[in-house]
Amino acid sequence: MKTLELALAKHPFFYNFPEEYLRSIAGQAQIVEYKEGDILFNEGSDARKFYLIVKGKVALETYAPGKGAIVLQTVEDGEMLGWSWLVAPYKYRFGARVSHKTEMIVINGEELRRQCENDPRLGYELMKRMVHAITFRLEQTRLLVMDVYANRANKK
Amino acid sequence: MIMEEIKYNPEAVKPDPMVPAIYRVESFVNETADTFTVTLSPSGTTVADWVANQKQLDAAPGQFNMLYVFGMGEVPVSISAGADKNRLLTHTTRAVGAITKAMSVLNVGDMVGVRGPFGSSWPVAGAKGKDVVLVAGGIGLAPLRPVILALLARRSDFGRVVILYGARTPKDIIFSEDLKAWKKQPGVDLYITVDRGTKAWRGSVGVVTRLIPQIIFDPANTVAMLCGPEIMMHFTIDALQKRGLSGNSIYVSMERNMKCAVGLCGHCQFGQHFICKDGPVFTYDKIAGLLRKPEI
Ligand SMILES: Cc1cc2nc3c(=O)[nH]c(=O)nc-3n(C[C@H](O)[C@H](O)[C@H](O)COP(=O)(O)OP(=O)(O)OC[C@H]3O[C@@H](n4cnc5c(N)ncnc54)[C@H](O)[C@@H]3O)c2cc1C
C-alpha cells in the first residue's frame, strides 16, 4: 500500500474498509499539517472537504453576538470532522479552527460524493461509518445537554 | 498508662460507630467557587476516640466518613487523600445543600464530628500488574484522588495508568496543582476535558466518554475505576465494554442519601445492597441490573 492508503487504513474511520475503495479514496486525499490558529472552514462556507484527524486538536466553533467565538467541542486524534460535504446544501454548519498543531488526512468531499453516487456499495459502506460517527457525536451532545455536573443546588 | 496499654491492644476497645469522634479543622482550601478541601486533626481525649481516630486515619481509598457539622447534621464524604505522617484526614466537598453549605463556612480551629471509616474501597492491591484506567467526572475526582496517589507512590507495580477527568467548565476543575504534577509524571496518560470551554481554555471540550475509544490499555489486563454522576458512569461503562473490558474489571462508586452508614436504617438501599456497607465501591457486574432503573 502507498503512504496515503496506509494512513487511511490506519485511521479508525476507515478500519477494515475494503482495500479497493481505499485505493480510490487515497487518490482524492492528502496528508496536511496545520498549525495552531489555522482556520479549516468558516460557518456557512461551501463544504468541499472531509477531514480525518491523525493527531492534534481542532475546535468546532460558532459565533454569538457580544460573546465572540464559542467552542462547541474539540475534535481530536482518530476522529473525523465535517460531514456537510455529504449533506445538502453542502455548507459547513460551524467553523473549525486548529487549536494545536494537527496532522490530518484531507479528502476531496465533492469527488468522494460523486464516487458514492456512482458506486452505491461504496456509498453504503461510507454511509454506515458516517452514521456511526454522527450517532456517537449525537450521544455526546445529549450528554452535554444533560449538564450532568451542574450543581443542582444552584438551579432554581 | 491506660493509653499505652490500649495503644498495643486496640482490639480491647470497640468505639461505637454511631458516636462521632471530635476533629479540629486544620486547613481550609477553596478548590473552586463551590468546592473546598479541609484537613482535620483528631482531638478527642478518650481511649475510644484514640481507637476510632486510628481507624479513620487508616481509611482505604474509596471509603468515606460521616462528617458532622454540629447543629446541622451529618453527611457522607469520601476521603480525598490518605492520612500521612501528619495524621490528618482530608475531605473534599462540594456545597450543594444545607449541611455541605454549613461545612463550606467552617474556619480553621472549628470542631467537627467524624464517624467512620465506612464502606468498601477501590481495588488498589488487585490492580497490581495491570493497566489502570481511572475516569472521574466533576467532584468524582475527589474519591479517586487517594487511588491516584497510591498508584503513583508505587508506580512500577502497575502497567499503564490512564486518568480521564471531565469537568463542567475550566473553573470547575479541582486539584489543579495535582493535575499539573500528574501530567508531568512519566508513565501517566492524563486527559482533561470540559463540557463548556471559555475563551482562555485551550484544552479539550466534550464529554469524558469520547476519550475512551482513543486511550491505550490492554482490555484483558485492566482495572477501571469510575466516579462521577450516574449518567456519566453509565456511558463510560458502555464505552469501556465496547473496548472489551469485562464488567468485573469495572469498579464504580455509587451514591445514595444515607443516615446511619452502618447498614441499619435502609436510607441508602440500592436493590438488595446497602451503599454504606456493601458499597460505595462495587464492581459493575454486581449492580448492572440496578443501574438506570427509575424505581431504584
Ligand atoms: C458514599 C458517599 C460518598 C460521598 N462523597 C462525597 C465527596 O467526597 N464529596 C462531596 O462533595 N460529596 C460527596 N458525597 C455526596 C454528599 O454526601 C452530599 O452532597 C451531601 O449529603 C448533601 O447534603 P446537604 O445537606 O448539603 O444537601 P441536601 O440538603 O441533602 O441536598 C440539597 C440539594 O443538593 C442536591 N444534592 C444532594 N446530594 C447531592 C449529590 N450527591 N450531588 C449533587 N447534588 C446533590 C439535592 O438534590 C438538593 O437539591 C458522597 C455521598 C456518598 C453517599
Side-chain angles (χ1 to χ4, degrees), chain A residues 152-153, chain B residues 64 75-78 92-94 96-101 139 142-143 254-258 280:
Chain A
R152 283 174 280 166
Chain B
F64 66 95
V75 282
V77 182
S78 306
T92 302
T93 310
R94 188 180 198 197
V96 297
I99 299 170
T100 48
K101 278 185 182 157
I139 183 74
M254 299 299 300
E255 270 187 27
R256 285 292 181 274
N257 281 349
M258 51 181 69

Side-chain angles (χ1 to χ4, degrees), chain B residues 46-60:
Chain B
T46 67
V47 172
D49 285 337
W50 260 47
V51 176
N53 293 157
Q54 196 51 50
K55 285 196 172 144
Q56 284 144 2
L57 295 168
D58 288 340

Side-chain angles (χ1 to χ4, degrees), chain B:
Chain B
M1 280 302 103
I2 288 173
M3 293 283 205
E4 269 179 23
E5 266 169 48
I6 295 305
K7 200 171 173 186
Y8 291 112
N9 183 15
E11 293 306 316
V13 173
K14 291 250 181 294
D16 183 341
M18 296 305 286
V19 176
I22 310 300
Y23 278 73
R24 178 181 187 274
V25 177
E26 292 297 333
S27 70
F28 184 105
V29 174
N30 283 310
E31 301 283 348
T32 67
D34 64 8
T35 302
F36 52 92
T37 298
V38 290
T39 60
L40 308 170
S41 67
S43 69
T45 47
T46 67
V47 172
D49 285 337
W50 260 47
V51 176
N53 293 157
Q54 196 51 50
K55 285 196 172 144
Q56 284 144 2
L57 295 168
D58 288 340
Q63 288 196 296
F64 66 95
N65 285 311
M66 294 300 285
L67 301 185
Y68 188 1
V69 182
F70 295 119
M72 289 301 298
E74 275 186 322
V75 282
V77 182
S78 306
I79 58 160
S80 65
D84 54 14
K85 42 188 183 317
N86 297 334
R87 292 179 58 79
L88 294 174
L89 285 183
T90 307
H91 287 284
T92 302
T93 310
R94 188 180 198 197
V96 297
I99 299 170
T100 48
K101 278 185 182 157
M103 207 183 282
S104 73
V105 293
L106 283 172
N107 289 306
V108 171
D110 285 348
M111 297 298 184
V112 294
V114 176
R115 291 194 295 124
F118 298 118
S120 56
S121 53
W122 298 109
V124 179
K128 207 170 167 187
K130 299 186 175 180
D131 291 347
V132 188
V133 175
L134 302 127
V135 190
I139 183 74
L141 185 59
L144 278 173
R145 184 168 71 157
V147 187
I148 300 172
L149 297 173
L151 295 176
L152 298 187
R154 292 186 286 122
R155 179 67 195 85
S156 57
D157 283 0
F158 308 95
R160 290 174 175 279
V161 173
V162 185
I163 306 168
L164 308 179
Y165 173 42
R168 188 170 192 245
T169 73
K171 285 190 194 128
D172 295 302
I173 291 175
I174 58 172
F175 306 139
S176 328
E177 291 308 312
D178 287 302
L179 290 165
K180 273 186 212 146
W182 299 339
K183 179 114 198 154
K184 283 195 199 130
Q185 181 117 358
V188 177
D189 294 336
L190 169 71
Y191 301 90
I192 303 172
T193 184
V194 296
D195 280 3
R196 283 165 192 71
T198 54
K199 276 227 168 70
W201 176 250
R202 304 263 323 289
S204 300
V205 179
V207 293
V208 75
T209 46
R210 65 185 273 257
L211 301 169
I212 290 169
Q214 272 92 282
I215 57 173
I216 302 170
F217 62 91
D218 171 10
N221 191 36
T222 293
V223 174
M225 305 182 208
L226 281 44
C227 190
E230 232 164 276
I231 299 174
M232 165 248 153
M233 291 203 289
H234 174 80
F235 280 90
T236 305
I237 291 163
D238 243 26
L240 287 170
Q241 288 192 315
K242 273 189 197 140
R243 289 284 312 265
L245 206 59
S246 65
N248 58 10
S249 301
I250 302 174
Y251 290 77
V252 296
S253 182
M254 299 299 300
E255 270 187 27
R256 285 292 181 274
N257 281 349
M258 51 181 69
K259 285 276 176 233
C260 77
V262 292
L264 292 177
C265 75
H267 263 79
C268 66
Q269 190 164 359
F270 183 55
Q272 68 272 41
H273 308 290
F274 281 169
I275 302 266
C276 66
K277 67 176 182 58
D278 306 322
V281 178
F282 294 92
T283 59
Y284 173 60
D285 269 0
K286 277 229 172 86
I287 53 153
L290 300 173
L291 272 185
R292 294 168 69 93
K293 284 256 167 71
E295 60 276 14
I296 288 179

